[in-house]
């Protein structure tokens, strides 16, 4: 089995490589190709990746290349984890929206739209080259904003599934609280990428006992603290929102916080410099503890599980993925991309049925779905008016003066990445 990681020079990659090494019975990788145009980073990451495989006696071969066609030829699956513009662009995404009193974040609001506009054309070009070179390969997208990028891939007819680590993080956290293995925890996870709620936590599978009330009763304070939301809110909702819901439920509070501290991009950039120094050490042969603070916890396990399922291996029968709605949530269009539990197999991901969704959540999902549809149109066709309409539709913006100002700032900060600008 051959897997290719586009964006293989990312400091995330050793987390992924560690998962491939540990879970080789689930996903027997014979060749792992890391593709990245940044040759200096690729050399450091590739060296550590080979040492991780060697430390764990993995027989697979690791290859590095800056030539996409070389990397994807013959691959069974291609994983996308790229960041167009790097941390410098992310720094901008997280800062200039604050001037209008709007949240600055890389996957939602004006910053999230900027990332989508930079990213979608690049991802579609890569995917088209995969299709020409290797039409049978699956594309697994971990590139944010995952919902919009996955929708772009699916609407272009690619064999693609989107992946996020939010659900597996909750699964692992709840399993620890309950004293069971992660495989015994099944989440009723519903929403859009980075806009999800855990409406039930079941033991043993989709029909198992719902222990979410018990978790909220016994561990509500801990869960609320992790989400940076007040415990009484969780008690009133009776569900566990993802931590990205804080941008909606406590928007003004978050904006005040963001204005008083360094951006997350600045923190990550500093961590990346330290990580790359560590990766250069020829004695290092395991992922360093610092990598856990970089983000993407359990990404490797989720990626292994998904790839194994798509390629006919031993992946979990049900996994949380991003895929077409196709009537699963009847209040959303069929071609919307949703994030729910799905049965995963060699033909792709088929969402499981979802109980009726509370209007409190369905309404917000519908509004953000409309934003994502407009965002994809803006990414594909460009133009100031399309950007303005998209920002006006976003529930975190919504006012025409803000949308006007943010449109001009988005274009000014991203002109080098926008062919139409």
């Amino acid at each position: 089995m051959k897997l290719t990681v586009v964006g293989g020079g990312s400091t995330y990659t050793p987390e992924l490589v560690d998962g491939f090494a540990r879970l080789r019975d689930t996903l027997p990788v014979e060749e792992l190709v890391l593709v990245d145009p940044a040759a200096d980073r690729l050399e450091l990451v590739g060296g550590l990746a080979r040492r991780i495989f060697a430390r764990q006696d993995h027989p697979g071969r690791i290859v590095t290349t800056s030539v996409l066609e070389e990397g994807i030829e013959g691959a069974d699956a291609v994983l996308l984890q790229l960041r167009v513009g790097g941390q410098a662009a992310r720094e901008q995404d997280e800062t200039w929206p604050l001037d209008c009193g709007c949240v600055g974040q890389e996957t939602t609001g004006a910053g999230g739209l900027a990332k989508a506009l930079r990213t979608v054309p690049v991802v579609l070009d890569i995917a088209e080259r995969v299709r020409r070179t290797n039409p049978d390969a699956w594309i697994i997208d971990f590139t944010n904003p995952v919902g919009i990028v996955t929708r772009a891939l699916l609407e272009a007819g690619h064999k693609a599934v989107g992946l996020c680590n939010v659900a597996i993080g909750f699964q692992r956290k709840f399993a620890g609280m309950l004293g069971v293995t992660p495989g015994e925890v099944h989440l009723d996870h519903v929403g859009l990428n980075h806009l999800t709620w855990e409406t039930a936590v079941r033991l043993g599978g989709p029909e198992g006992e719902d222990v979410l009330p018990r978790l909220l009763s016994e561990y509500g304070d801990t869960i609320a603290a992790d989400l940076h939301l007040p415990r009484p809110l969780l008690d009133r909702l009776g569900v566990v929102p993802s931590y990205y819901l804080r941008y909606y439920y406590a928007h003004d509070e978050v904006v005040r916080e963001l204005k008083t501290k360094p951006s997350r991009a600045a923190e990550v950039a500093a961590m990346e410099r330290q990580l790359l120094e560590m990766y250069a050490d020829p004695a290092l042969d395991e992922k360093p503890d610092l990598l856990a603070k970089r983000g993407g916890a359990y990404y490797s396990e989720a990626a292994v599980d998904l790839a194994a399922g798509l390629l006919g291996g031993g992946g979990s029968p049900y996994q949380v993925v991003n895929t077409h709605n196709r009537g699963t949530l009847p209040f959303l269009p069929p071609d919307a991309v949703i994030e729910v539990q799905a049965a995963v197999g060699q033909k792709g991901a088929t969402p499981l049925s979802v109980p009726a969704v509370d209007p409190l959540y369905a309404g917000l999902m519908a509004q953000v779905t409309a934003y994502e549809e407009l965002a994809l149109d803006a990414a594909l066709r460009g133009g100031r008016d399309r950007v303005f309409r998209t920002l006006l539709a976003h529930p975190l913006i919504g006012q025409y003066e803000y949308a006007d100002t943010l449109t001009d700032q988005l274009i000014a900060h991203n002109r080098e990445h926008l062919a139409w600008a």
Side-chain angles (χ1 to χ4, degrees), residues 28 42 48 74 101 106-108 160 188 209 227 244 248 309 347 397:
L42 188 60
L48 175 57
E106 66 159 340
T107 63
T108 192
D188 281 11
E209 175 194 2
L227 299 174
Y244 288 94
Y248 297 82
K347 294 184 178 180
I397 300 167

Side-chain angles (χ1 to χ4, degrees), residues 340-352:
V340 294
Q341 288 277 4
V344 176
Q346 289 177 279
K347 294 184 178 180
T350 303
L352 304 185

